[in-house]
Amino acid sequence: MDQPINSDFLRYQAQTSPYPLGMQVAYAKGSYIYDQNQKPYLDFVAGVSACALGHQHPRVNDAIKKQLDSYSHVMVYGEYAQGPAVQYCKLLASLLPSPLDKVYLVNSGTEACEGALKLARRVTGRKQLISCYNAYHGNTMGAMSVMGFEERKTPFLPLLEDVDFITFNNEADIQKITTQTAGIILESIQGGAGFIQPENNFLRKVRERCDEVGALLILDEIQPGFGRTGKLFGFEHFGIVPDIIIVGKGMGGGMPVGAFIASEAHMDLLSHSPKLGHITTFGGHPVIAAACLATLQEITETQLMQQALEKEQLFRSLLKHPLITEIRGRGLMLAAMTPSAEITDKAILACQDRGLILFWLLFEGKAIRITPPLTISESEIEEGCRILLEVLDEMVDR
């Protein structure tokens, strides 16, 4: 990269916040990102959980290059049988419990959410949707309607009508699910709220209530999915099977992708009355599907999921400090909590200056996101934790 590009970045590329980090990326490999000065940054964020196998994983890269030599986009989703997408859907379905056996490939997690909400209404014939306070399922209008954070929604009102909210882990709120409810959408582990896990069989009790009243249970696996919590999907820790799951982020090895998955009987309802109940031009893109297939094979054919739990314990053993009040999460979906958002802000920015990439969570200002690639080594974990602890030490000494 010959010339600095930050001025053009700010001028011509739409921004998501007033203060982007602005690192100029030259290349990335393994657990590291390198800037235009060839400075390495140890990546403890993995593209916000998207780069499950790190950067430039050879199996994923080889699959992409091989598919590019055959064909790229040829037809709108669902019309032509394209090998990478078919193989991927078949493998993914084989790894899921019954009746989750049909996959609709889309372009992102938020589109997967849109499809799942539509499917819940189509299956039940009902309108009401229920979500959780501090939930995040994407940022399109439907997904934003089930976002439990009013401050971010207000400028874009009105959104979908007939959406109600409950508090995650509040058993009494489960009674809000009634015979008027089409579906309840929950994260198997709440992400933006602070990596909060279900307690006291909360998900099982929601499942039982949905069965009682005929509502569908939609579980958002966009962050916990694809091995990050030590199992292929987060819900597998909690002894339940949802009616629909939505996935994205880590499924593509860094490529943009999402999917919603349900039973064949439910999913086929989108094909008629009306036909084209959900349609997407680039969903199932063969190059991206090839990357997804390689990623899923690598995760399931190696020890990466088991190692995620071992690496979690290493993080927990190392990250002991007066300014770390607790470590939340499971596997390599972790959040180091500090006493204040101010401390978190300073720590994240100081660590980037020293070559360690950390990040924030959407709704919990005290959380330091730690979601490295599943492939991160123990020595890299030790190095990153050393940098974070040094930064926190200096903050105590001031």
Side-chain angles (χ1 to χ4, degrees):
M1 192 174 296
D2 297 325
Q3 298 295 327
I5 61 169
N6 267 354
S7 59
D8 286 349
F9 167 62
L10 295 171
R11 170 62 181 84
Y12 296 106
Q13 185 173 341
Q15 304 299 308
T16 57
S17 77
Y19 308 107
L21 292 173
M23 183 203 301
Q24 294 182 213
V25 178
Y27 65 100
K29 189 172 181 62
S31 300
Y32 287 87
I33 299 173
Y34 297 80
D35 70 11
Q36 77 277 14
N37 298 315
Q38 307 303 307
K39 178 180 176 179
Y41 295 80
L42 180 55
D43 187 359
F44 269 20
V45 177
V48 189
S49 305
C51 302
L53 301 179
H55 304 285
Q56 305 297 324
H57 191 280
R59 188 167 186 172
V60 177
N61 276 13
D62 289 347
I64 291 170
K65 293 171 184 175
K66 182 179 179 180
Q67 183 56 40
L68 278 171
D69 288 337
S70 297
Y71 59 92
S72 184
H73 178 69
V74 290
M75 177 52 73
V76 66
Y77 181 85
E79 293 296 330
Y80 290 177
Q82 300 176 57
V86 173
Q87 294 169 43
Y88 179 70
C89 291
K90 182 177 180 180
L91 176 58
L92 183 54
S94 75
L95 296 166
L96 285 164
S98 178
L100 299 170
D101 61 1
K102 201 151 194 178
V103 182
Y104 199 124
L105 297 171
V106 293
N107 300 286
S108 65
T110 193
E111 188 188 350
C113 177
E114 298 285 335
L117 297 179
K118 289 163 66 178
L119 182 57
R121 286 184 164 180
R122 177 68 178 84
V123 169
T124 63
R126 304 171 184 176
K127 293 182 179 179
Q128 187 194 44
L129 299 167
I130 294 178
S131 183
C132 277
Y133 296 111
N134 290 331
Y136 181 77
H137 301 288
N139 222 42
T140 47
M141 296 293 273
M144 190 180 292
S145 300
V146 291
M147 179 197 298
F149 199 82
E150 293 304 314
E151 178 183 336
R152 290 177 182 247
K153 294 161 58 174
T154 299
F156 307 104
L157 297 176
L159 299 172
L160 291 182
E161 298 178 354
D162 210 356
V163 178
D164 201 357
F165 291 87
I166 67 172
T167 299
F168 199 74
N169 283 327
N170 186 323
E171 186 172 342
D173 278 1
I174 294 173
Q175 296 305 308
K176 286 188 175 184
I177 308 169
T178 71
T179 54
Q180 302 302 308
T181 306
I184 177 168
I185 182 168
L186 303 172
E187 297 157 275
S188 59
I189 299 174
Q190 277 204 307
F195 290 2
I196 299 171
Q197 298 190 69
E199 299 173 353
N200 300 319
N201 292 315
F202 179 69
L203 291 185
R204 185 175 299 175
K205 291 168 183 175
V206 171
R207 169 76 276 176
E208 291 170 353
R209 179 62 176 171
C210 287
D211 291 339
E212 288 174 9
V213 300
L216 298 193
L217 173 57
I218 306 166
L219 284 187
D220 181 338
E221 291 282 351
I222 292 170
Q223 288 204 70
F226 295 96
R228 183 154 293 279
T229 68
K231 291 186 179 291
L232 191 58
F233 295 104
F235 73 83
E236 297 178 85
H237 291 285
F238 307 112
I240 58 107
V241 178
D243 297 292
I244 308 172
I245 63 172
I246 62 176
V247 293
K249 288 191 183 293
M251 71 183 283
M255 300 293 277
V257 69
F260 57 107
I261 307 159
S263 69
E264 181 179 15
H266 285 170
M267 196 69 84
D268 284 353
L269 293 175
L270 292 178
S271 68
H272 62 88
S273 303
K275 63 183 180 181
L276 307 180
H278 190 75
I279 190 65
T280 173
T281 297
F282 290 111
H285 190 287
V287 176
I288 293 174
C292 291
L293 180 59
T295 299
L296 184 58
Q297 289 170 332
E298 184 69 14
I299 290 171
T300 56
E301 293 172 7
T302 66
Q303 298 300 309
L304 285 173
M305 287 189 280
Q306 175 186 331
Q307 291 168 5
L309 296 174
E310 297 167 358
K311 292 169 183 177
E312 173 193 349
Q313 295 310 310
L314 179 58
F315 271 112
R316 290 184 180 278
S317 69
L318 294 170
L319 291 179
K320 297 183 184 299
H321 193 276
L323 293 183
I324 296 178
T325 59
E326 65 174 313
I327 304 291
R328 292 183 185 169
R330 186 178 294 218
L332 291 176
M333 183 178 174
L334 300 174
M337 307 300 295
T338 75
S340 70
E342 181 182 11
I343 291 171
T344 289
D345 290 347
K346 289 180 179 178
I348 290 171
L349 295 173
C351 282
Q352 177 159 311
D353 288 341
R354 299 188 188 197
L356 173 66
I357 298 173
L358 299 164
F359 209 59
W360 295 265
L361 297 183
L362 278 174
F363 308 137
E364 175 49 87
K366 294 182 288 186
I368 299 174
R369 171 190 283 273
I370 300 174
T371 55
L374 306 186
T375 50
I376 195 165
S377 69
E378 291 187 1
S379 62
E380 290 167 341
I381 292 172
E382 291 167 354
E383 172 65 10
C385 289
R386 180 189 63 77
I387 294 171
L388 175 56
L389 292 173
E390 286 180 358
V391 164
L392 295 176
D393 282 342
E394 292 173 9
M395 293 173 70
V396 170
D397 292 340
R398 286 174 187 165

